[in-house]
Amino acid sequence: MFERLDRLADDPILGMMAKYRQDTSEQKVDLAAGVYQDELGNTPVLRAVKAAEQRVHDNQKTKTYEGLAGNISFNVAMQDFIFGERHPALADKRIATVQTTGGSGGLHIVADVLRRANSAPVVWVSGPTWPNHRPLIKGGGLEFKTYPYYDAERHGIDFDGMLSTLEHANAGDVVLLHGCCHNPTGADLSAKQWDALVDVLARNELVPWNDMAYQGFAQGTDEDAYGARLCAQKLPESVVVTSCSKNFGIYRDRVGAASIVAADAEKAVACATHLANVTRTVYSMPPAHGAAVVDLILRDEDLKALWLEELGDMRDRINSLRRNLTNALEARTSTNRFSFIARQTGMFSLLGLTAEQVDTLREKFHIYMVSSSRANIAGVRKSNLDYLVNAIAAVL
Ligand code: LMR
C-alpha cells in the first residue's frame, strides 16, 4: 500500500528551520521560522512562565483527563484576554471557546466545524497568507479563494482591492483575517480600515475568521485585538483562533484556543458541543501543562505584570531591530527601498527578494529565510547586522 506514497517536499517554514539547525557555519543567521530570539540568538523560557511552571508542578494533584474542551479556567481567562473582560459578546454569553493544540490545532478544529455548519463553505484568504493556511484548512475540505491584500510594489496594503473583492463574495462566505502582525507581510490594517472592513462584512453577511497568533507583538495586547473585538461586537457571527506559542514563548507546549462568536447564547452552547465533538475525533483533548501555566499567569496579578513586561520587551526589541535593519540597509544600498521594514509590525516582513536571491543568501552566506523572502526580524542581532546587510546588498 505505502509504495504509492512519494516523498513530499520539505515544509516551507519548518523545513528551513531544520536546514538551519544542520548548518555548522558559525556565521549562520536564522530568519526562518516565526520564533522570537534574543540578542544571543536564544529563545529563552520567559521568567513568568518558569515561575508559573514551578507552581503548577508543585500544586498538581492529579493527571487524570481534562474534559474535551481542555482547561475550562484557561478558556475563560483566554476569553477575557482576547476579547477584553467587559466585551458585550461575553456578557451576552455568545462566545464558545475550547483549548486547542496551538493555533494550528485551533484552525483545524474550526475548519471541521465550519464544514459541519455549511457543507461547502468558501474561505477567502489574503494574498499572500501564512503558507500553512491553505493545506491546513484544505484538509478540512473547504474551498479557497484569495482576496488581494499586499501590494508588493508599494509595500503596503491594497485595501481598495481587498474591499472591492469582498464586496462580491457570497453571503455566508468566510474571510480569514490576520488579527495582527500579518504573516508573512507585517502589514496590518489600521483601526480605521478595520472599521470599514467590518461594514463590508456586515453588509455582505460574511463571517470573519481571525487568526491571532501574535497578540501583543504589534502595539499591545488590547490594541492588537481591535479587529477581533470589533467583529465580535458588530457582527452576529465570527471566529477567533489564538496561539499562545509566541506571546508566552511556549512554542513546543502547543497551547491555543478556538472561539466561535455565535448569534446568541443558545447557539454558542451548540457551537461549544461541536468544537468539543470535533476535538474528540482528532486528538480527544489537548495537553494540560501549557494551558495550566497560561491560566495561572493570566489570573495571578504579579505573574501577569511580569509577563506583560517581558512581552513588551520582546515587542520593543523587534521594533528597534526593524529601525536598525532599515537604517543599515538604506545606508548600505544608498536607497530607501527598505523603509517599509521600519513601518511594519510583528516578526515578519517580505524583503522583496527573488527565490534565487534567497537561495544564494542561504547557500553562499548561510542566511535562512522562507523562499518568499519572508524574514523573521527577531533573528537580526547587533552582532550579525553588518554581515546580513552586506550579504543582502551582494545579492541585489
Ligand atoms: C511561522 O510562520 O514561522 C510560525 O508560525 C511557525 C509555523 O508553524 O509555521
Side-chain angles (χ1 to χ4, degrees), residues 38-57:
D38 65 14
E39 191 50 40
L40 298 173
N42 297 322
T43 304
V45 181
L46 299 184
R47 282 177 292 142
V49 169
K50 268 277 182 221
E53 285 191 304
Q54 189 62 55
R55 271 160 61 180
V56 167
H57 175 79

Side-chain angles (χ1 to χ4, degrees), residues 142-164:
L142 313 183
E143 188 195 335
F144 273 98
K145 288 189 179 167
T146 303
Y147 59 84
Y149 185 79
Y150 191 65
D151 179 341
E153 292 289 307
R154 288 191 304 110
H155 300 287
I157 298 173
D158 175 9
F159 192 58
D160 290 343
M162 176 182 186
L163 286 198
S164 58

Side-chain angles (χ1 to χ4, degrees), residues 9-21:
D10 291 342
D11 181 86
I13 296 174
L14 299 183
M16 208 53 88
M17 188 180 186
K19 277 201 183 97
Y20 172 82
R21 285 179 177 166

Side-chain angles (χ1 to χ4, degrees), residues 358-387:
V358 171
D359 286 347
T360 309
L361 282 174
R362 188 178 62 254
E363 285 156 14
K364 203 163 156 204
F365 298 97
H366 309 273
I367 295 170
Y368 290 75
M369 65 183 78
V370 181
S371 63
S372 60
S373 81
R374 186 197 81 168
N376 173 14
I377 307 297
V380 180
R381 296 180 232 155
K382 285 194 191 97
S383 56
N384 65 23
L385 182 64
D386 285 346
Y387 176 72

